[in-house]
Amino acid sequence: MADQATTNADQLAKDDRKTGIGVVATHTAIFLALMGLWELAARGGLLDPLFFPLPSDIVVSFYRLYITQANIWWHLGMTMTEVAVGFVAGSALGIGLALIVGMFDRVRRYLKPYIVILEATPRIAIGPIVIAAFGFGWTSKTVIVMLVCFFAPFVNTLNGMASVDDEELAMMRSMRASRWQTFTKLMLPDALPEIMAGLRLAMASALGGALVAEFISANEGIGVLLAQYTGTLNMASAFVCVFTLTGLGYLIFRSMEALDRYIVFWTDRDRTEVMGRVRAAKWKGLVKEAYA
Amino acid sequence: MTAVASTVSGIRGGPDVSSRSPEAPAVISADNVTKTFGGGRVVALEDASFDIRPGEFISLVGPSGCGKSTLLRIIAGLIDKSGGSLKVHGEETIAPRRDVAMMFQKPTLLEWRTAVENVLLPSEIAGTVTDDDRRRALGLLKLAGLKDFAFSFPQQLSGGMQQRVALARLLQTGADILLLDEPFGALDEFTREHLNVELMRIVGEVGATTLFVTHNIGEAIFLADRVFVMTPRPGRLAEIIDVPFERPRQPALQLTTEFNQLVARVRSVLGGH
Ligand SMILES: Nc1ncnc2c1ncn2[C@@H]1O[C@H](COP(=O)(O)OP(=O)(O)OP(=O)(O)O)[C@@H](O)[C@H]1O
Ligand SMILES: [Mg+2]
């Protein structure tokens, strides 16, 4: 039976790889064809070159922004720092607070209405106020990202903690588990899939939050650069900024996915199988002895 | 099997038939145990009195709401009684005890732990885990028929296998009193019947005192030394019926006239309700 399962998994993996290569080839072809069409349409006067620069111009601008002028790096670094610090601080605050609140029923009941009201407020609306309070520098942008990244992890962590099964709690209690043991061995890991989903949501909005904050008012960051290029109608360079953000967003998405597969491995069938082998390896000596 | 017996022997000697004799001191003794909910409006259990002797297998049978789970939870120390006295090993129960372990209808396994890590949970909660605890966990999994699945995660196991892991975990506690609240109730009939036979073998091997809740009259009689028949509204221990059949028992026992006479007797007690 176990053998059957592994061969099935292997077969699936093989299928995946096959289609994987095929998909990449197809999409590269489609992408190149679209770019070619765009180039032709622009050269033929079908697209207004003021708003739709030639793909070839964009490639040239890429080279300039990243290598000859190399001015994008500083701004990119700025934005990434805002996103990273804001995300870590905001979600840590959200998760931490939710864990404390989740452990105490009464605090949760008192806090609930305020959470609902705050959740109904569009986070970015607080942006100008934050900027007025913290100035035009990096601090205010980071604080805005923090606000954007606070709620999803907070709410998900609370939900995750509240959804623990009653029989599982009774099981821990019948084993005389302490409050702390019940928390670390049952409630926290049980809530992890939801916490991770909250983190993914937060991360997805973090980059957008940083950009909007930079649009509102700032003197550095990729949002500022983008606004400047658009303002001076340097569209090829503006598109370089947009594509850079696309790449960054994709990278963030993929790394969150990888983190998810690593941390909450049991929600993924293939990862679960791998972890089973990893754990078995740790017990090797004992198993040999016990099942000799 | 000898390796298993030695790893399991921490619980109590071995199966000891003489311990089932009436003269042995009761491991659990209940005197007018009562439990009400909702400020006395719901009487979940009324005046239950009984003695359970070491190594006995008791089945609790009765319709939904007759207080079976309530009684088990009081013995487990999970809920307080409203009145009466309930002693485990001579001590009034006020909280969960080390020598009493409970198993539920759901396997209640932790999804992020392998089978053997789940079995090890009671040892972790009790303190530091030694290699002896680990060997014991492996031995109990073998006893439960899961030798080849020690490193499978719960979602890789069938419902019946998950309950076997839960059973191994129950034994890992080292408790000599096992409380099972419809442990196989969610499984299909074939798996359930098979696991019932396995359960008899395993608790016999470790010599534990067992309270087993079920809705199924045949199952209750087949497994037990005595059947507690309970009736609802208010929850009452209506009658205690002795089951005289020799052990080990084979499933074919359920086809005999004597067996079916007992089934009819339980039915008649329940019939009035
Ligand atoms: N926490 C509770 N609050 C209020 N009433 C309860 C509570 N727990 C149980 N009861 C009531 O007590 C009675 C006995 O419940 P119990 O769960 O012990 O029955 P049971 O015999 O285990 O039933 P089942 O076979 O359905 O599991 C029922 O009427 C039930 O509604
Ligand atoms: Mg019940």
Side-chain angles (χ1 to χ4, degrees), chain B residues 37 42 44 63-70 182 215:
Chain B
F37 287 107
V42 181
S64 195
C66 65
K68 304 182 295 290
S69 298
T70 302
E182 297 185 57
H215 279 125

Side-chain angles (χ1 to χ4, degrees), chain A residues 36-49 52 54-55:
Chain A
L37 266 177
W38 181 352
E39 182 89 30
L40 285 176
R43 280 184 193 277
L46 278 171
L47 287 174
D48 187 345
F52 297 97
L54 298 174

Side-chain angles (χ1 to χ4, degrees), chain B residues 18-242:
Chain B
S18 66
S19 69
R20 291 203 184 107
S21 68
E23 305 86 52
V27 273
I28 303 172
S29 69
D31 190 19
N32 290 314
V33 175
T34 297
K35 176 70 188 178
T36 58
F37 287 107
R41 270 177 288 120
V42 181
V43 183
L45 189 66
E46 191 176 68
D47 292 336
S49 300
F50 55 84
D51 281 334
I52 297 174
R53 292 178 292 277
E56 256 194 314
F57 195 119
I58 305 288
S59 287
L60 277 73
V61 71
S64 195
C66 65
K68 304 182 295 290
S69 298
T70 302
L71 178 56
L72 245 60
R73 281 167 186 261
I74 291 172
I75 299 172
L78 290 173
I79 55 175
D80 294 327
K81 52 196 172 292
S82 311
S85 151
L86 189 118
K87 291 191 170 138
V88 174
H89 287 303
E91 292 163 10
E92 200 66 38
T93 51
I94 38 169
R97 301 168 53 103
R98 198 182 288 280
D99 47 14
V100 178
M102 181 149 177
M103 181 169 164
F104 303 85
Q105 178 161 8
K106 276 181 251 162
T108 63
L109 299 178
L110 307 179
E111 288 174 282
W112 46 92
R113 286 171 174 252
T114 58
V116 71
E117 288 164 347
N118 265 293
V119 176
L120 211 52
L121 182 67
S123 307
E124 270 176 42
I125 286 172
T128 38
V129 176
T130 63
D131 270 358
D132 278 340
D133 294 326
R134 296 192 182 92
R135 272 188 283 268
R136 191 175 143 81
L138 288 168
L140 287 169
L141 274 175
K142 187 177 175 189
L143 183 68
L146 288 177
K147 182 172 171 291
D148 297 329
F149 296 90
F151 300 100
S152 297
F153 286 90
Q155 66 267 39
Q156 297 173 310
L157 301 172
S158 69
M161 289 158 105
Q162 290 184 24
Q163 281 299 32
R164 285 168 185 265
V165 178
L167 184 61
R169 180 181 64 190
L170 186 77
L171 299 172
Q172 178 83 5
T173 60
D176 64 351
I177 298 172
L178 308 179
L179 310 173
L180 300 99
D181 196 349
E182 297 185 57
F184 312 134
L187 304 176
D188 66 85
E189 197 166 335
F190 302 102
T191 312
R192 205 172 71 213
E193 192 155 313
H194 184 64
L195 281 178
N196 282 338
V197 175
E198 293 270 285
L199 176 70
M200 272 201 298
R201 172 179 69 79
I202 290 168
V203 298
E205 205 155 305
V206 300
T209 307
T210 310
L211 273 85
F212 179 91
V213 169
T214 174
H215 279 125
N216 187 309
I217 298 171
E219 182 175 292
I221 297 169
F222 180 63
L223 294 171
D225 298 312
R226 286 190 294 160
V227 178
F228 287 14
V229 187
M230 298 180 69
T231 53
R233 284 177 295 278
R236 268 210 169 109
L237 175 51
E239 195 159 327
I240 297 177
I241 293 175
D242 281 301

Side-chain angles (χ1 to χ4, degrees), chain A residues 26-27 109 116 148 151 155 161 170 224 238 240 255 275:
Chain A
T26 320
H27 281 280
R109 255 175 288 137
V116 173
V148 167
F151 280 93
V155 171
M161 299 262 293
V224 174
V240 171
S255 43
M275 279 309 286

Side-chain angles (χ1 to χ4, degrees), chain A residues 20 25 50 56 59 62 69 140-141 145 181 198 234 238 270 273 289:
Chain A
L50 202 54
S56 51
V59 172
F62 250 106
Q69 238 176 17
S140 62
K141 312 301 170 300
V145 175
Q181 285 173 324
N234 184 350
D270 295 343
E273 243 166 69
E289 230 177 283

